[in-house]
Amino acid sequence: MTTERRQYIRPESLNLLDYLVVDEQGRQGAYSMARTLNVSKGGILMETHLPLQQGQQVLITLGLKDRLIDVMGRVVYTTGSAGRYHNGIEFFHLSENDRGILENYVEAFHKLYAEESSRHPLP
């Protein structure tokens, strides 16, 4: 049995994004597209075609409905193989404006998720 260590609930959410790997000196590395598998106020699980290394920093541009936000994150873990990798990303920097957009999106999504769950409870 695993112990949940996340600070925020992460309902499933599919959004397209692009990301840029950035080293500690701010130099740009690999740039690619990915998609989210779930989103929270504190991080995301994103699916990529390339594995990311634990500790790498990534600049992510995330589309949330009709808004784009930029967020800096750090790779916490990567699993997968054969061209599909799941990367747990912890956010560590985003502007106050982008933080507000993210929080509003997550809260609206949680509300929708709760409504759907109450209409279709598990047996």
Side-chain angles (χ1 to χ4, degrees):
M1 185 169 141
T2 61
T3 303
E4 180 61 58
R5 298 182 312 181
R6 292 182 187 145
Q7 183 177 357
Y8 304 105
I9 296 171
R10 292 185 181 184
E12 292 181 7
S13 175
L14 297 175
N15 298 291
L16 296 178
L17 63 89
D18 64 19
Y19 68 93
L20 176 67
V21 175
V22 180
D23 71 12
E24 295 80 23
Q25 289 77 37
R27 292 182 298 232
Q28 299 178 1
Y31 171 80
S32 190
M33 300 291 294
R35 69 178 181 166
T36 64
L37 298 176
N38 60 45
V39 178
S40 79
K41 295 176 185 179
I44 62 173
L45 178 63
M46 71 180 195
E47 184 178 70
T48 62
H49 295 290
L50 302 170
L52 300 175
Q53 300 301 311
Q54 184 176 356
Q56 275 186 314
Q57 295 180 22
V58 288
L59 173 59
I60 297 168
T61 301
L62 179 59
L64 300 176
K65 293 196 176 193
D66 61 345
R67 308 296 276 291
L68 293 176
I69 66 169
D70 292 316
V71 60
M72 283 297 295
R74 184 172 296 107
V75 179
V76 177
Y77 70 89
T78 298
T79 61
S81 63
R84 289 201 174 200
Y85 299 91
H86 293 181
N87 304 274
I89 308 295
E90 177 182 37
F91 299 152
F92 69 86
H93 178 75
L94 64 160
S95 72
E96 286 303 314
N97 184 58
D98 286 351
R99 183 180 309 279
I101 293 168
L102 177 64
E103 288 176 357
N104 289 337
Y105 173 82
V106 171
E107 288 169 12
F109 194 86
H110 282 218
K111 183 178 178 184
L112 178 64
Y113 183 77
E115 289 172 3
E116 286 295 316
S117 295
S118 67
R119 278 189 241 147
H120 306 287
L122 296 174

